[in-house]
Amino acid sequence: MAFPGTGLIWMNGKFVEWDQAQIHVASHVIHYGSGVFEGARCYDTRNGPACFRLDAHIRRLIDSAKIYRMEVPYDQQQISDAVVDLIKRNGFKACYIRPLVYRGYDSLGVNPFPCPVDVAIMLWEWGAYFTKEAIEEGLDVKISTWARNAPNTMPSMAKSVANYANSQLIKMEAILEGYAEGIALDTDGNLSEGSGQNIFIVRDGVIHTPPVGSSILSGITRDSVVTIARDLGFDVREQVLPREMLYVADEVFFVGTAVEVTPIKSVDKIKVGRGRRGPITEALQQRFFDIVRGDAADTHGWLQHLETPQAATSGSSTRR
Ligand code: PMP
Protein backbone atom coordinates (compact mmCIF):
# COMPACT_ATOMS: atom_id res chain seq x y z
CA MET A 1 0.00 0.00 0.00
CA ALA A 2 1.40 3.38 -0.96
CA PHE A 3 1.85 5.91 1.81
CA PRO A 4 -1.46 7.73 2.22
CA GLY A 5 0.07 11.14 2.90
CA THR A 6 -1.47 14.34 1.64
CA GLY A 7 -1.58 17.99 2.61
CA LEU A 8 1.04 20.14 4.24
CA ILE A 9 4.11 19.25 6.27
CA TRP A 10 5.67 21.69 8.72
CA MET A 11 9.44 22.02 8.17
CA ASN A 12 11.45 24.43 10.32
CA GLY A 13 8.51 26.79 10.62
CA LYS A 14 7.38 26.63 6.98
CA PHE A 15 4.37 24.83 5.54
CA VAL A 16 5.50 22.64 2.65
CA GLU A 17 3.39 20.51 0.30
CA TRP A 18 3.66 16.78 1.05
CA ASP A 19 5.48 15.97 -2.21
CA GLN A 20 7.97 18.83 -1.76
CA ALA A 21 8.99 17.93 1.80
CA GLN A 22 12.44 16.60 1.01
CA ILE A 23 15.85 16.46 2.66
CA HIS A 24 19.30 15.86 1.17
CA VAL A 25 20.61 12.30 1.02
CA ALA A 26 23.77 13.52 2.80
CA SER A 27 21.75 14.53 5.87
CA HIS A 28 23.37 13.16 9.04
CA VAL A 29 20.19 11.41 10.21
CA ILE A 30 20.08 9.14 7.18
CA HIS A 31 23.58 7.81 7.77
CA TYR A 32 23.81 7.68 11.55
CA GLY A 33 20.25 7.56 12.89
CA SER A 34 20.62 10.96 14.55
CA GLY A 35 16.97 11.78 15.05
CA VAL A 36 14.26 11.63 17.70
CA PHE A 37 10.56 11.63 17.09
CA GLU A 38 7.05 11.30 18.46
CA GLY A 39 3.82 9.60 17.57
CA ALA A 40 0.63 11.12 18.92
CA ARG A 41 -3.00 11.09 17.84
CA CYS A 42 -5.74 13.57 17.21
CA TYR A 43 -9.15 11.98 17.76
CA ASP A 44 -12.46 12.98 16.27
CA THR A 45 -14.30 13.27 19.58
CA ARG A 46 -17.97 14.04 20.07
CA ASN A 47 -16.81 17.61 20.85
CA GLY A 48 -14.71 17.94 17.72
CA PRO A 49 -11.06 17.08 17.01
CA ALA A 50 -8.81 16.82 20.05
CA CYS A 51 -5.16 15.82 20.51
CA PHE A 52 -4.58 13.16 23.14
CA ARG A 53 -1.88 14.17 25.65
CA LEU A 54 -0.02 16.29 23.10
CA ASP A 55 1.84 18.11 25.89
CA ALA A 56 3.24 14.81 27.23
CA HIS A 57 4.33 13.75 23.75
CA ILE A 58 6.10 17.03 22.99
CA ARG A 59 7.74 16.96 26.40
CA ARG A 60 9.07 13.47 25.65
CA LEU A 61 10.31 14.74 22.27
CA ILE A 62 12.28 17.50 23.99
CA ASP A 63 13.58 15.00 26.57
CA SER A 64 14.67 12.59 23.81
CA ALA A 65 16.53 15.45 22.09
CA LYS A 66 18.18 16.43 25.37
CA ILE A 67 19.52 12.90 25.89
CA TYR A 68 21.12 13.14 22.44
CA ARG A 69 22.46 16.66 23.12
CA MET A 70 20.34 18.18 20.38
CA GLU A 71 19.35 21.79 20.89
CA VAL A 72 15.84 22.04 19.52
CA PRO A 73 15.36 25.49 18.00
CA TYR A 74 11.70 25.61 19.16
CA ASP A 75 10.31 25.20 22.66
CA GLN A 76 7.54 22.85 23.75
CA GLN A 77 4.80 25.45 23.30
CA GLN A 78 5.96 26.43 19.81
CA ILE A 79 5.99 22.80 18.67
CA SER A 80 2.56 22.12 20.21
CA ASP A 81 1.17 25.25 18.54
CA ALA A 82 2.69 24.17 15.22
CA VAL A 83 1.00 20.75 15.53
CA VAL A 84 -2.39 22.32 16.20
CA ASP A 85 -1.94 24.85 13.38
CA LEU A 86 -0.96 22.07 10.96
CA ILE A 87 -3.99 19.93 11.85
CA LYS A 88 -6.26 22.91 11.24
CA ARG A 89 -4.62 23.86 7.95
CA ASN A 90 -4.90 20.27 6.73
CA GLY A 91 -8.51 20.11 7.87
CA PHE A 92 -8.08 16.73 9.57
CA LYS A 93 -10.56 15.58 12.17
CA ALA A 94 -8.61 12.51 13.24
CA CYS A 95 -4.97 11.87 12.41
CA TYR A 96 -1.66 10.47 13.53
CA ILE A 97 0.88 13.17 14.46
CA ARG A 98 4.57 12.63 13.74
CA PRO A 99 7.01 15.33 14.92
CA LEU A 100 10.66 14.62 14.05
CA VAL A 101 13.83 16.36 15.25
CA TYR A 102 16.89 15.40 13.25
CA ARG A 103 20.45 16.28 12.41
CA GLY A 104 20.45 17.71 8.92
CA TYR A 105 22.90 18.63 6.19
CA ASP A 106 26.40 19.84 6.95
CA SER A 107 29.06 17.14 7.17
CA LEU A 108 29.22 13.38 7.43
CA GLY A 109 31.65 12.64 10.21
CA VAL A 110 30.16 10.68 13.07
CA ASN A 111 30.41 13.86 15.16
CA PRO A 112 26.90 15.29 14.86
CA PHE A 113 27.59 18.69 16.40
CA PRO A 114 28.33 20.60 13.16
CA CYS A 115 24.98 19.56 11.68
CA PRO A 116 21.87 21.68 12.11
CA VAL A 117 19.01 20.41 14.25
CA ASP A 118 15.99 20.46 11.96
CA VAL A 119 12.36 19.93 12.91
CA ALA A 120 9.52 18.54 10.82
CA ILE A 121 5.93 17.69 11.67
CA MET A 122 3.77 15.49 9.50
CA LEU A 123 0.25 14.16 9.84
CA TRP A 124 -1.65 11.40 8.20
CA GLU A 125 -4.97 9.69 8.57
CA TRP A 126 -4.22 6.35 10.19
CA GLY A 127 -6.94 4.11 11.56
CA ALA A 128 -6.46 1.10 13.82
CA TYR A 129 -2.96 -0.44 13.75
CA PHE A 130 -4.31 -3.97 14.02
CA THR A 131 -7.64 -5.23 12.63
CA LYS A 132 -10.97 -4.73 14.39
CA GLU A 133 -10.98 -8.49 14.93
CA ALA A 134 -7.62 -8.25 16.74
CA ILE A 135 -8.91 -5.45 18.96
CA GLU A 136 -11.85 -7.63 19.98
CA GLU A 137 -10.27 -11.07 19.98
CA GLY A 138 -6.56 -10.59 20.46
CA LEU A 139 -3.25 -11.20 18.71
CA ASP A 140 -1.00 -14.23 18.42
CA VAL A 141 2.51 -13.10 19.36
CA LYS A 142 5.92 -14.60 19.97
CA ILE A 143 8.85 -13.77 22.18
CA SER A 144 11.53 -12.41 19.92
CA THR A 145 14.99 -13.89 19.66
CA TRP A 146 16.10 -10.23 19.61
CA ALA A 147 16.50 -8.54 23.00
CA ARG A 148 15.85 -4.86 23.62
CA ASN A 149 18.92 -2.64 23.85
CA ALA A 150 20.92 -3.19 27.02
CA PRO A 151 21.10 -0.35 29.54
CA ASN A 152 23.93 2.00 28.74
CA THR A 153 23.93 1.10 25.05
CA MET A 154 21.04 2.86 23.33
CA PRO A 155 18.91 4.83 25.80
CA SER A 156 15.42 3.34 25.68
CA MET A 157 13.86 6.40 27.33
CA ALA A 158 14.76 8.38 24.21
CA LYS A 159 12.41 7.78 21.30
CA SER A 160 15.29 7.79 18.85
CA VAL A 161 14.93 6.71 15.22
CA ALA A 162 17.97 4.49 15.79
CA ASN A 163 16.08 2.37 18.35
CA TYR A 164 13.72 1.33 15.60
CA ALA A 165 16.43 -0.75 13.92
CA ASN A 166 15.94 -3.11 16.86
CA SER A 167 12.14 -2.78 16.56
CA GLN A 168 12.31 -3.72 12.88
CA LEU A 169 14.27 -6.90 13.66
CA ILE A 170 11.61 -7.87 16.20
CA LYS A 171 8.72 -7.06 13.86
CA MET A 172 10.19 -8.77 10.78
CA GLU A 173 10.96 -11.95 12.68
CA ALA A 174 7.40 -12.08 14.04
CA ILE A 175 5.80 -11.48 10.64
CA LEU A 176 7.97 -14.03 8.83
CA GLU A 177 7.05 -16.65 11.42
CA GLY A 178 3.33 -15.94 11.07
CA TYR A 179 2.77 -13.85 14.21
CA ALA A 180 1.20 -10.40 14.41
CA GLU A 181 3.86 -8.98 16.70
CA GLY A 182 6.95 -9.82 18.75
CA ILE A 183 7.66 -9.23 22.42
CA ALA A 184 11.24 -8.43 23.37
CA LEU A 185 12.96 -9.35 26.62
CA ASP A 186 15.66 -7.14 28.08
CA THR A 187 19.25 -8.37 28.16
CA ASP A 188 18.65 -9.96 31.60
CA GLY A 189 15.87 -12.05 30.04
CA ASN A 190 13.06 -10.17 31.76
CA LEU A 191 10.03 -8.86 29.99
CA SER A 192 10.50 -5.54 28.18
CA GLU A 193 8.01 -4.50 25.46
CA GLY A 194 6.76 -5.05 21.91
CA SER A 195 8.38 -3.58 18.81
CA GLY A 196 6.38 -0.39 19.26
CA GLN A 197 4.12 -0.91 22.26
CA ASN A 198 4.24 -1.47 26.01
CA ILE A 199 2.88 -4.61 27.60
CA PHE A 200 0.63 -5.42 30.54
CA ILE A 201 -0.15 -8.71 32.27
CA VAL A 202 -3.11 -9.55 34.48
CA ARG A 203 -2.98 -12.35 37.02
CA ASP A 204 -5.49 -12.93 39.81
CA GLY A 205 -7.00 -9.51 39.21
CA VAL A 206 -3.67 -7.67 39.70
CA ILE A 207 -2.27 -5.70 36.76
CA HIS A 208 1.50 -5.78 36.15
CA THR A 209 3.75 -3.92 33.73
CA PRO A 210 7.55 -3.79 33.43
CA PRO A 211 9.26 -0.71 34.94
CA VAL A 212 11.18 1.96 33.03
CA GLY A 213 14.42 0.15 33.96
CA SER A 214 13.45 -2.88 31.84
CA SER A 215 14.62 -1.20 28.59
CA ILE A 216 11.17 0.10 27.70
CA LEU A 217 10.06 3.36 26.18
CA SER A 218 8.17 5.15 28.93
CA GLY A 219 4.89 5.08 27.04
CA ILE A 220 2.24 7.74 27.36
CA THR A 221 -0.53 5.21 26.74
CA ARG A 222 1.10 3.02 29.41
CA ASP A 223 0.90 5.93 31.84
CA SER A 224 -2.72 6.60 30.82
CA VAL A 225 -3.71 2.95 31.25
CA VAL A 226 -2.03 2.76 34.68
CA THR A 227 -4.02 5.87 35.67
CA ILE A 228 -7.30 4.54 34.24
CA ALA A 229 -6.79 1.16 35.95
CA ARG A 230 -6.14 2.82 39.31
CA ASP A 231 -9.18 5.08 38.77
CA LEU A 232 -11.22 1.91 38.27
CA GLY A 233 -9.86 0.54 41.55
CA PHE A 234 -7.35 -2.02 40.24
CA ASP A 235 -4.06 -2.81 41.91
CA VAL A 236 -1.35 -1.91 39.35
CA ARG A 237 2.28 -2.89 39.92
CA GLU A 238 5.27 -1.74 37.92
CA GLN A 239 7.78 -4.48 38.50
CA VAL A 240 10.40 -6.63 36.81
CA LEU A 241 8.60 -9.59 35.25
CA PRO A 242 10.08 -12.90 34.15
CA ARG A 243 9.26 -14.21 30.68
CA GLU A 244 7.15 -17.07 32.04
CA MET A 245 4.66 -14.63 33.59
CA LEU A 246 3.32 -14.33 30.05
CA TYR A 247 2.58 -18.06 29.91
CA VAL A 248 0.67 -18.18 33.20
CA ALA A 249 -1.11 -14.84 32.87
CA ASP A 250 -4.91 -14.62 32.82
CA GLU A 251 -4.71 -11.70 30.39
CA VAL A 252 -1.99 -9.96 28.38
CA PHE A 253 -2.37 -6.80 26.31
CA PHE A 254 -0.36 -4.23 24.39
CA VAL A 255 -0.78 -0.48 24.72
CA GLY A 256 0.57 2.38 22.64
CA THR A 257 -0.50 5.38 20.60
CA ALA A 258 -0.73 3.31 17.43
CA VAL A 259 -2.16 0.07 18.91
CA GLU A 260 -4.23 1.83 21.62
CA VAL A 261 -5.24 -1.12 23.85
CA THR A 262 -4.98 -4.47 22.03
CA PRO A 263 -5.41 -7.89 23.67
CA ILE A 264 -2.99 -10.78 23.15
CA LYS A 265 -4.53 -14.23 22.90
CA SER A 266 -1.45 -16.42 22.67
CA VAL A 267 2.27 -16.16 23.34
CA ASP A 268 4.59 -18.70 21.69
CA LYS A 269 1.47 -20.73 20.85
CA ILE A 270 0.55 -20.96 24.55
CA LYS A 271 -2.99 -19.75 25.10
CA VAL A 272 -3.32 -16.68 27.33
CA GLY A 273 -6.11 -17.39 29.83
CA ARG A 274 -9.07 -18.64 27.85
CA GLY A 275 -7.49 -17.63 24.56
CA ARG A 276 -9.51 -14.47 24.01
CA ARG A 277 -9.82 -10.94 25.31
CA GLY A 278 -10.19 -10.97 29.09
CA PRO A 279 -12.63 -8.88 31.15
CA ILE A 280 -10.05 -6.50 32.64
CA THR A 281 -8.53 -5.83 29.23
CA GLU A 282 -12.01 -5.14 27.90
CA ALA A 283 -12.85 -2.79 30.78
CA LEU A 284 -9.63 -0.80 30.30
CA GLN A 285 -10.08 -0.75 26.53
CA GLN A 286 -13.65 0.49 26.93
CA ARG A 287 -12.62 3.26 29.29
CA PHE A 288 -9.72 4.30 27.08
CA PHE A 289 -11.91 4.47 23.97
CA ASP A 290 -14.66 6.29 25.88
CA ILE A 291 -12.18 8.97 26.96
CA VAL A 292 -10.58 9.46 23.54
CA ARG A 293 -13.98 9.58 21.82
CA GLY A 294 -15.26 12.11 24.34
CA ASP A 295 -17.90 9.70 25.66
CA ALA A 296 -16.47 9.70 29.20
CA ALA A 297 -15.44 12.68 31.31
CA ASP A 298 -11.85 13.75 30.63
CA THR A 299 -11.04 13.98 34.33
CA HIS A 300 -7.28 14.15 33.80
CA GLY A 301 -7.37 16.86 31.12
CA TRP A 302 -5.88 14.61 28.45
CA LEU A 303 -7.78 15.97 25.47
CA GLN A 304 -6.68 19.23 23.90
CA HIS A 305 -9.58 20.35 21.74
CA LEU A 306 -8.94 22.38 18.64
CA GLU A 307 -11.31 24.35 16.60
CA THR A 308 -11.85 23.15 13.05
CA PRO A 309 -11.66 25.79 10.29
CA GLN A 310 -15.46 25.58 10.11
CA ALA A 311 -15.89 26.02 13.85
CA ALA A 312 -13.44 28.93 13.75
CA THR A 313 -15.61 30.84 11.29
CA SER A 314 -18.79 30.08 13.22
CA GLY A 315 -17.04 31.17 16.42
CA SER A 316 -17.69 27.93 18.33
CA SER A 317 -14.11 27.36 19.39
CA THR A 318 -13.45 24.76 22.09
CA ARG A 319 -9.71 25.26 22.10
CA ARG A 320 -8.07 25.69 25.46
N1 PMP B 1 7.44 1.26 23.17
C1 PMP B 1 7.93 1.56 21.95
C2 PMP B 1 9.21 0.96 21.52
C3 PMP B 1 7.21 2.42 21.11
O1 PMP B 1 7.66 2.70 19.88
C4 PMP B 1 5.98 2.95 21.54
C5 PMP B 1 5.21 3.87 20.64
N2 PMP B 1 5.64 5.20 20.77
C6 PMP B 1 5.53 2.62 22.81
C7 PMP B 1 6.29 1.77 23.61
C8 PMP B 1 4.25 3.19 23.35
O2 PMP B 1 4.43 4.53 23.67
P1 PMP B 1 3.22 5.58 23.57
O3 PMP B 1 2.11 5.02 24.37
O4 PMP B 1 3.77 6.81 24.15
O5 PMP B 1 2.86 5.69 22.14
Side-chain angles (χ1 to χ4, degrees), residues 103-125:
R103 300 273 189 186
Y105 179 81
D106 179 274
S107 52
L108 276 180
V110 169
N111 175 13
F113 288 127
C115 299
V117 175
D118 291 324
V119 183
I121 305 167
M122 60 191 94
L123 311 171
W124 64 91
E125 290 175 299

Side-chain angles (χ1 to χ4, degrees), residues 63-272:
D63 285 347
S64 297
K66 188 174 184 193
I67 293 169
Y68 278 97
R69 302 175 193 272
M70 302 167 100
E71 287 204 22
V72 187
Y74 305 93
D75 66 19
Q76 185 169 334
Q77 191 61 48
Q78 287 171 314
I79 298 175
S80 291
D81 289 348
V83 168
V84 170
D85 193 5
L86 190 63
I87 298 172
K88 287 190 206 164
R89 283 179 192 241
N90 280 326
F92 288 136
K93 288 194 163 58
C95 61
Y96 183 82
I97 302 162
R98 168 58 56 83
L100 177 68
V101 176
Y102 58 97
R103 300 273 189 186
Y105 179 81
D106 179 274
S107 52
L108 276 180
V110 169
N111 175 13
F113 288 127
C115 299
V117 175
D118 291 324
V119 183
I121 305 167
M122 60 191 94
L123 311 171
W124 64 91
E125 290 175 299
W126 201 11
Y129 190 79
F130 294 116
T131 60
K132 185 166 181 289
E133 188 193 356
I135 287 178
E136 287 172 8
E137 288 168 26
L139 304 171
D140 295 309
V141 308
K142 68 161 285 180
I143 295 181
S144 187
T145 62
W146 295 100
R148 265 295 187 217
N149 297 314
N152 233 7
T153 59
M154 310 273 289
S156 57
M157 267 183 73
K159 192 169 167 67
S160 150
V161 298
N163 286 355
Y164 289 79
N166 175 260
S167 292
Q168 290 173 62
L169 292 169
I170 295 164
K171 186 80 187 184
M172 289 190 292
E173 179 184 279
I175 290 171
L176 290 175
E177 294 182 23
Y179 297 90
E181 191 48 83
I183 298 173
L185 305 177
D186 66 16
T187 50
D188 286 334
N190 292 310
L191 199 49
S192 181
E193 62 179 350
S195 67
Q197 38 312 96
N198 293 116
I199 194 160
F200 283 76
I201 283 175
V202 181
R203 185 168 157 99
D204 295 335
V206 178
I207 302 172
H208 304 266
T209 194
V212 183
S214 291
S215 299
I216 65 165
L217 179 73
S218 184
I220 289 154
T221 320
R222 172 183 178 276
D223 179 72
S224 309
V225 167
V226 166
T227 304
I228 289 171
R230 289 188 175 139
D231 285 351
L232 293 175
F234 290 106
D235 181 2
V236 185
R237 301 183 195 165
E238 294 181 40
Q239 64 182 59
V240 173
L241 297 165
R243 164 185 188 149
E244 56 273 25
M245 270 293 275
L246 289 169
Y247 303 139
V248 298
D250 301 323
E251 302 179 32
V252 182
F253 57 95
F254 278 137
V255 306
T257 297
V259 302
E260 300 171 307
V261 180
T262 301
I264 292 171
K265 68 173 165 23
S266 76
V267 180
D268 293 341
K269 299 198 183 340
I270 298 177
K271 223 194 255 182
V272 174

Side-chain angles (χ1 to χ4, degrees), residues 1-21:
M1 189 185 75
F3 197 83
T6 55
L8 298 170
I9 292 181
W10 188 96
M11 291 181 89
N12 292 328
K14 294 198 176 67
F15 294 92
V16 182
E17 285 295 339
W18 184 277
D19 292 339
Q20 308 298 319

